Amino acid sequence: MNNFDWYAPTHIVFGRGTESEVSSLLKSSKCNRVLLHYGSGSVIRTGLLGKIKSSLENACIDYIELGGVVANPRLSLVYEGIELAKSKGVDFILAVGGGSVIDSAKAIAYGAAADFDVWDLYDRKRTPESALPVGVVLTIAAAGSEMSNSSVITNEDGGIKRGYSNNMVRPKFAILNPELTMTLPDFQTACGFTDIMMHTMERYFTSAGNMELTDGIAEALLRTVIKNALILVEDPKNYEARAEVMWAGSLSHNGLTGCGNGGDDFATHRIEHEISGMFDVAHGAGLAAIWGSWARYVLDDCLPRFKQFATNVWNVEDSGDCREVALEGIARTEDFFKSIGMPVSLKDFGFELTDEVIEELAEKCEKAVGGKVGAAKVLYRDDFKKIYRMAYNK
Amino acid sequence: MNNFDWYAPTHIVFGRGTESEVSSLLKSSKCNRVLLHYGSGSVIRTGLLGKIKSSLENACIDYIELGGVVANPRLSLVYEGIELAKSKGVDFILAVGGGSVIDSAKAIAYGAAADFDVWDLYDRKRTPESALPVGVVLTIAAAGSEMSNSSVITNEDGGIKRGYSNNMVRPKFAILNPELTMTLPDFQTACGFTDIMMHTMERYFTSAGNMELTDGIAEALLRTVIKNALILVEDPKNYEARAEVMWAGSLSHNGLTGCGNGGDDFATHRIEHEISGMFDVAHGAGLAAIWGSWARYVLDDCLPRFKQFATNVWNVEDSGDCREVALEGIARTEDFFKSIGMPVSLKDFGFELTDEVIEELAEKCEKAVGGKVGAAKVLYRDDFKKIYRMAYNK
């Protein structure tokens, strides 16, 4: 077991109708002018945005708007938000949407408080002095950005996707109403299940030491997501199942499932980031397409963890052969991904991965991770190439 | 499942040697003068207090001291702390100790920022406008006060023990080094195990609705404490086991194990408070002495939860008779309490509970809880009397 820091200051307001509390939460933040940040689709169609705006107006909370965030949120819109925030004296960013909107809001929060190019943070050239506070009304259970310290932005100039993490942008509050996730298309819902599971699995598969309590929480979370994901494939409007998954999404990425593990793995995430940066595939689907290949590649360096995962998450019977049990856990995970409509091969996306493209992806990934990544097994550029190839040739 | 709020803003710094970070944590709180608050025994003997003082002095952090906190912390010392804090311009309270020291620090934090008698909060006559920030160096894994919003103080005038809860005193940071808990006598260590388990069990046994993810976390936490408590009975210096229990102590009382349950029970705690307020017994031992009687008294109002507890925490085999399984879970819990040296009857403490005393305890309890308490089953004055009697006559 290793020393750890844990900091999850976000005030969670969870349940039916809780979006009605947005104005009182903003009022207690004592802000003067809010930047209301959102996407372009469902928040408008469902009337949620109109409801939030009415609530702010009724409470006499001054706000300006910036919509148009897309999946894999763009640096150009972040720049637009920063300029708007600076010129209009914004002192609070309210994100209404999913992980992309929140990540974009966090980038604006850094940039609006800085006198340098915000991309310098994502490019590891600077560190921030401060950031504007961020609040969230969540509409997608997936990214966990509503409690996390991380934000991932895509620079269109070169299709470069980069993450940056700092406690100062952990949201002040997050409103989580599971009803708001019910209008999401099935495919995106399933991408969310995958992303949620992966945030815990990236922390779970380590060789650096573990904590029993953290493992118990992680395994309970994974079992809960698997069970309720299968319910939601049949019955997408099931409130209880939506709620279980939504709360799992927040707990999966607020650090709780990594306490004491000595460092997260996150290789699958980093390997996937280059795929969704270049081809604009859905992040959750990209993770599902890569994970099995990553798992088989690192298996022998982290065998006891894979066996424990198979036993405690998938209830695989102990055959006496540790490797066989571990492989069965990986196979069941991939079967589960397929059963919720996720790909388990990069070929399923339809693009071609030539040797040149793989070379480019691996190079970008190497640069993004600073040479190496991984806690189950430390991976380098050559390993990335092999995993891209394995995930494509399946 | 019910709507819920969750707010756990305490920055946790966990592991070996982490007390060395106290000055940097205080510095980032930007305080001018610290009240260093502690007990009278082990923190001095072990040299921890000296180490903390040297650290503050080396970092040029101005501080004054107030020691002398006892178990079931006294209002008179709280008053002394408030006067000291006000007269010396203290703007941060640093608690070095266990739950009693932290609770006393929280009471001082309220009082130092108020212009009224702090007991009015505990007596439900006032609400606070603000409180000084509190930080913690924890030496006992038990009360969970290092992340909780609650504080319990005993007014010597009448032996009245009262709790008050407000998010504004959740500690800013808490340093948790499991090594610091190793000098605790075995009995107090065991009282801690009980208190930790009870903070989750008080949230677990409800009839108001539950959340699978919360249940899974709660059950994992209970299994972890039970397993590691038994290790520590044999091997009190086992660092890994100390660490598991210490982290469980914080998570058990920060609200995580109650999310979605529609309200905590806490009847055992409230019934016990009057006992330790009147007789000055150790809180954890008092809880162990009462819980089994409470459980059998409310069993039929909350049977499915008791069965689930027996199955998932104690691995009781399903005999087909739900009540039998549930009763076996209660029996195993009491056996566990006995195996770690806890009483399971009030008679074990050696004082006499006459009908008059029980009448007085029940009356005080009724007043403290505002007439009724409980979520597994709502209990009133007559119920308190019966449970005191059951717990004494065992």
Side-chain angles (χ1 to χ4, degrees):
Chain A
M1 184 189 312
N2 301 275
N3 286 10
F4 64 87
D5 265 44
W6 189 61
Y7 182 56
T10 307
H11 178 185
I12 297 293
V13 183
F14 191 102
R16 292 182 201 271
T18 44
E19 64 275 18
S20 67
E21 295 185 40
V22 66
S23 292
S24 65
L25 287 163
L26 284 169
K27 287 242 172 205
S28 55
S29 298
K30 299 191 198 314
C31 54
N32 291 310
R33 181 169 288 174
V34 173
L35 177 65
L36 183 56
H37 198 39
Y38 52 90
S40 55
S42 68
V43 290
I44 301 167
R45 265 197 324 276
T46 59
L48 174 64
L49 188 69
K51 210 164 153 185
I52 300 286
K53 290 194 317 194
S54 298
S55 171
L56 267 57
E57 283 153 23
N58 291 338
C60 300
I61 295 170
D62 192 16
Y63 70 91
I64 57 172
E65 296 178 56
L66 180 64
V69 182
V70 295
N72 301 317
R74 305 295 198 267
L75 181 61
S76 54
L77 192 73
V78 168
Y79 284 147
E80 202 180 318
I82 292 168
E83 195 173 312
L84 203 56
K86 283 184 171 175
S87 65
K88 302 286 188 187
V90 163
D91 59 0
F92 197 101
I93 321 278
L94 178 65
V96 181
S100 297
V101 175
I102 305 167
D103 282 9
S104 183
K106 288 174 174 176
I108 295 170
Y110 287 126
D115 57 5
F116 54 81
D117 182 353
V118 73
W119 187 250
D120 286 353
L121 300 177
Y122 295 81
D123 218 12
R124 304 284 181 280
K125 290 182 185 154
R126 302 285 292 250
T127 52
E129 294 286 316
S130 64
L132 296 188
V134 174
V136 174
V137 180
L138 189 65
T139 61
I140 304 177
S145 187
E146 65 277 10
M147 289 193 86
S148 85
N149 65 351
S150 64
S151 131
V152 182
I153 298 294
T154 296
N155 186 340
E156 302 97 309
D157 183 8
I160 301 166
K161 189 169 174 178
R162 290 276 180 280
Y164 179 69
S165 299
N166 192 304
N167 278 339
M168 63 178 65
V169 294
R170 288 195 193 261
K172 301 301 164 198
F173 65 80
I175 292 173
L176 275 60
N177 175 358
E179 295 171 316
L180 301 180
T181 68
M182 289 188 186
T183 53
L184 204 66
D186 292 347
F187 178 74
Q188 264 188 279
T189 299
C191 285
F193 302 150
T194 310
D195 202 15
I196 291 167
M197 289 175 65
M198 282 305 307
H199 286 146
T200 285
M201 288 154 71
E202 297 276 27
R203 292 170 165 92
Y204 185 87
F205 291 104
T206 63
S207 302
N210 296 96
M211 197 165 187
E212 284 173 20
L213 179 52
T214 299
D215 282 356
I217 292 171
E219 291 157 2
L221 189 148
L222 292 170
R223 289 192 302 266
T224 302
V225 175
I226 292 162
K227 179 183 165 191
N228 287 284
L230 294 172
I231 291 173
L232 288 166
V233 167
E234 299 297 321
D235 178 17
K237 301 279 184 199
N238 185 309
Y239 176 84
E240 303 281 314
R242 288 268 174 194
E244 297 287 351
V245 169
M246 193 172 208
W247 187 218
S250 298
L251 293 183
S252 195
H253 204 30
N254 76 0
L256 183 68
T257 58
C259 291
N261 70 0
D264 308 332
D265 188 88
F266 272 87
T268 306
H269 261 76
R270 304 309 288 268
I271 291 168
E272 192 288 324
H273 273 181
E274 304 310 323
I275 295 285
S276 53
M278 192 182 286
F279 297 106
D280 211 20
V281 308
H283 173 56
L287 292 172
I290 287 166
W291 183 79
S293 299
W294 167 84
R296 290 187 185 89
Y297 190 80
V298 306
L299 176 63
D300 290 316
D301 286 72
C302 200
L303 204 51
R305 301 295 294 167
F306 279 96
K307 189 198 170 201
Q308 184 179 327
F309 172 76
T311 306
N312 294 351
V313 176
W314 291 108
N315 212 16
V316 175
E317 211 172 315
D318 192 352
S319 66
D321 179 338
C322 180
R323 199 164 191 279
E324 188 179 75
V325 173
L327 280 167
E328 178 62 19
I330 296 170
R332 291 209 196 167
T333 308
E334 289 198 317
D335 287 347
F336 167 77
F337 285 152
K338 283 189 260 183
S339 73
I340 60 170
M342 288 287 103
V344 293
S345 160
L346 286 175
K347 205 165 262 161
D348 295 346
F349 291 114
F351 52 70
E352 197 184 349
L353 276 198
T354 61
D355 286 343
E356 291 70 39
V357 175
I358 286 180
E359 198 66 57
E360 188 186 341
L361 288 166
E363 187 188 337
K364 279 184 172 174
C365 189
E366 180 186 38
K367 192 176 170 215
V369 301
K372 62 184 181 178
V373 69
K377 174 186 171 76
V378 180
L379 303 177
Y380 300 86
R381 184 166 166 170
D382 260 6
D383 302 307
F384 308 151
K385 280 161 63 177
K386 286 176 188 154
I387 293 168
Y388 283 126
R389 178 55 62 207
M390 277 173 76
Y392 186 69
N393 284 348
K394 282 183 75 176
Chain B
M1 185 189 315
N2 302 274
N3 287 10
F4 65 87
D5 266 43
W6 189 62
Y7 182 55
T10 307
H11 178 185
I12 297 293
V13 182
F14 191 101
R16 292 182 200 268
T18 45
E19 64 275 18
S20 67
E21 295 185 38
V22 67
S23 292
S24 64
L25 288 162
L26 284 168
K27 286 244 171 201
S28 56
S29 298
K30 299 191 198 314
C31 53
N32 291 309
R33 181 169 287 175
V34 173
L35 176 65
L36 183 56
H37 198 39
Y38 53 90
S40 55
S42 69
V43 290
I44 302 166
R45 264 197 324 277
T46 60
L48 174 65
L49 189 68
K51 210 165 152 185
I52 300 284
K53 290 194 317 198
S54 297
S55 171
L56 268 56
E57 283 152 22
N58 291 338
C60 300
I61 295 170
D62 192 15
Y63 71 91
I64 56 172
E65 296 179 55
L66 180 64
V69 181
V70 295
N72 301 316
R74 304 296 198 268
L75 182 62
S76 54
L77 193 72
V78 168
Y79 285 147
E80 203 180 316
I82 292 168
E83 197 174 309
L84 203 56
K86 283 184 172 174
S87 65
K88 303 286 188 184
V90 162
D91 58 0
F92 197 100
I93 321 279
L94 179 65
V96 180
S100 297
V101 176
I102 305 168
D103 283 10
S104 183
K106 288 173 175 176
I108 295 171
Y110 287 126
D115 57 4
F116 54 81
D117 182 353
V118 73
W119 187 249
D120 285 354
L121 300 176
Y122 295 81
D123 218 13
R124 304 285 181 280
K125 289 181 184 154
R126 303 284 292 251
T127 52
E129 294 284 317
S130 65
L132 296 188
V134 174
V136 174
V137 180
L138 190 65
T139 61
I140 304 177
S145 187
E146 66 277 9
M147 289 193 86
S148 84
N149 64 351
S150 64
S151 131
V152 181
I153 298 294
T154 296
N155 187 339
E156 301 95 309
D157 183 9
I160 301 165
K161 188 168 175 178
R162 290 277 181 279
Y164 179 68
S165 299
N166 191 304
N167 278 339
M168 62 178 66
V169 294
R170 288 194 192 263
K172 301 301 164 199
F173 65 79
I175 292 173
L176 275 60
N177 175 359
E179 294 171 316
L180 301 180
T181 68
M182 289 187 186
T183 54
L184 204 65
D186 292 348
F187 178 74
Q188 264 188 278
T189 298
C191 286
F193 303 150
T194 310
D195 202 15
I196 291 167
M197 288 175 66
M198 283 303 308
H199 286 145
T200 285
M201 287 155 71
E202 296 278 26
R203 291 170 166 92
Y204 185 88
F205 291 103
T206 63
S207 302
N210 294 96
M211 198 165 187
E212 285 173 19
L213 179 52
T214 299
D215 282 356
I217 292 170
E219 291 157 2
L221 189 147
L222 292 170
R223 288 191 304 264
T224 301
V225 175
I226 293 162
K227 179 182 165 192
N228 288 283
L230 294 172
I231 291 173
L232 288 166
V233 166
E234 299 297 321
D235 178 16
K237 301 279 185 200
N238 185 309
Y239 177 83
E240 304 281 314
R242 288 269 173 193
E244 297 287 350
V245 169
M246 193 172 209
W247 186 218
S250 298
L251 293 183
S252 195
H253 205 29
N254 76 0
L256 184 68
T257 58
C259 290
N261 70 358
D264 308 333
D265 188 89
F266 273 85
T268 306
H269 259 78
R270 305 308 288 267
I271 290 168
E272 192 287 325
H273 274 181
E274 304 311 323
I275 294 285
S276 53
M278 191 181 286
F279 298 104
D280 211 20
V281 308
H283 172 56
L287 292 171
I290 286 166
W291 184 77
S293 299
W294 167 85
R296 291 187 183 87
Y297 190 81
V298 307
L299 176 65
D300 291 316
D301 288 71
C302 201
L303 205 50
R305 301 294 294 166
F306 279 97
K307 189 197 170 202
Q308 183 179 328
F309 172 76
T311 307
N312 295 350
V313 176
W314 291 108
N315 211 15
V316 175
E317 211 173 315
D318 193 351
S319 66
D321 180 337
C322 180
R323 201 165 189 279
E324 189 178 73
V325 173
L327 280 167
E328 178 63 18
I330 297 170
R332 291 208 195 169
T333 308
E334 290 198 316
D335 287 347
F336 166 77
F337 286 152
K338 282 189 262 184
S339 72
I340 59 170
M342 289 286 102
V344 294
S345 160
L346 286 176
K347 205 164 264 163
D348 295 344
F349 292 114
F351 52 70
E352 197 185 350
L353 277 197
T354 61
D355 287 344
E356 291 71 37
V357 174
I358 285 180
E359 199 65 58
E360 189 186 341
L361 287 166
E363 188 188 337
K364 279 185 171 173
C365 189
E366 179 187 39
K367 193 178 170 214
V369 301
K372 61 182 180 179
V373 68
K377 174 184 170 80
V378 179
L379 302 178
Y380 301 86
R381 183 167 166 168
D382 260 6
D383 303 307
F384 307 150
K385 280 162 61 176
K386 287 176 188 155
I387 292 168
Y388 284 125
R389 179 54 64 206
M390 280 173 74
Y392 186 69
N393 285 347
K394 283 184 77 178

